[in-house]
Amino acid sequence: PFRRGLLVHRLLELLPEAPANQRYTLCQEFLSRPGNELDAATIDVLTSEVINVLEHPGFSSIFGTGSRAEVALTGNIEIGGNIESISGQVDRLIVDDTNVFVVDYKTMRPVPPTPEAAPTAYLRQLAVYRLLLREIWPDRRFRAALLWTEGPILMPIDDALLDRHTPAS
């Protein structure tokens, strides 16, 4: 499952830049590399999963112009009275004049039924990203979502849920 997630993440980083009519072939070629040790059925399942995410009509802004893949974030935040150095990697970052939108890909199955049922570590990670990104863009609205590649399902995470998972200062 871990390797599966790494492969899907890498494809979602690389393929948005490729012409849409070449993505299927590029995906198959990437997954067919001998080092991946995948059988034909697994390659087909993963290709379908990745292409379904990239071609989902509701996700066009996530992969469109102005979106960035694998954005490194570093900074210091106060947790429990101590200054902690934080570094992370945002799967997809979309910044416009009014919003900062973070999308974190998840390949876990089954998909949780609600945002509240998502693993605490995922919600805490988004809350920390919000702290760091508000330092950079204090005047913009922060939005976050988990993109479950199985489905695919985009699960917005609201501010109240992020507030409950923000480390105490």
Side-chain angles (χ1 to χ4, degrees), residues 127 130 134 158-167:
R130 180 176 67 171
R134 279 187 170 161
D158 66 30
D159 280 331
L161 187 54
L162 289 177
D163 290 346
R164 292 199 302 272
H165 290 86
T166 299

Side-chain angles (χ1 to χ4, degrees), residues 46-158:
L46 291 178
T47 298
S48 178
E49 188 170 319
V50 168
I51 298 300
N52 285 341
V53 169
L54 292 174
E55 293 183 353
H56 191 287
F59 303 165
S60 60
S61 67
I62 294 171
F63 298 104
T65 307
S67 69
R68 298 188 328 213
E70 299 299 323
V71 177
L73 272 187
T74 58
N76 297 316
I77 59 173
E78 187 178 336
I79 301 175
N82 298 314
I83 301 297
E84 302 279 340
S85 254
I86 302 292
S87 66
Q89 192 98 350
V90 174
D91 291 333
R92 206 83 192 169
L93 180 66
I94 304 97
V95 179
D96 64 26
D97 292 340
T98 55
N99 296 289
V100 174
F101 185 29
V102 168
V103 178
D104 202 26
Y105 309 141
K106 296 300 175 194
T107 55
M108 184 181 101
R109 295 180 285 184
V111 174
T114 64
E116 292 76 15
T120 299
Y122 296 173
L123 300 171
R124 184 176 173 93
Q125 179 182 28
L126 290 172
V128 168
Y129 289 164
R130 180 176 67 171
L131 288 173
L132 293 172
L133 290 165
R134 279 187 170 161
E135 293 291 317
I136 301 167
W137 291 289
D139 58 330
R140 302 196 189 169
R141 180 174 169 245
F142 181 86
R143 296 174 42 230
L146 297 170
L147 196 164
W148 303 95
T149 60
E150 176 86 5
I153 296 166
L154 186 67
M155 181 181 283
I157 307 298
D158 66 30

Side-chain angles (χ1 to χ4, degrees), residues 27-61:
C27 191
Q28 290 266 304
E29 288 171 357
F30 179 88
L31 293 171
S32 296
R33 291 178 182 164
N36 290 330
E37 300 176 359
L38 300 174
D39 60 40
T42 303
I43 290 168
D44 287 344
V45 166
L46 291 178
T47 298
S48 178
E49 188 170 319
V50 168
I51 298 300
N52 285 341
V53 169
L54 292 174
E55 293 183 353
H56 191 287
F59 303 165
S60 60
S61 67

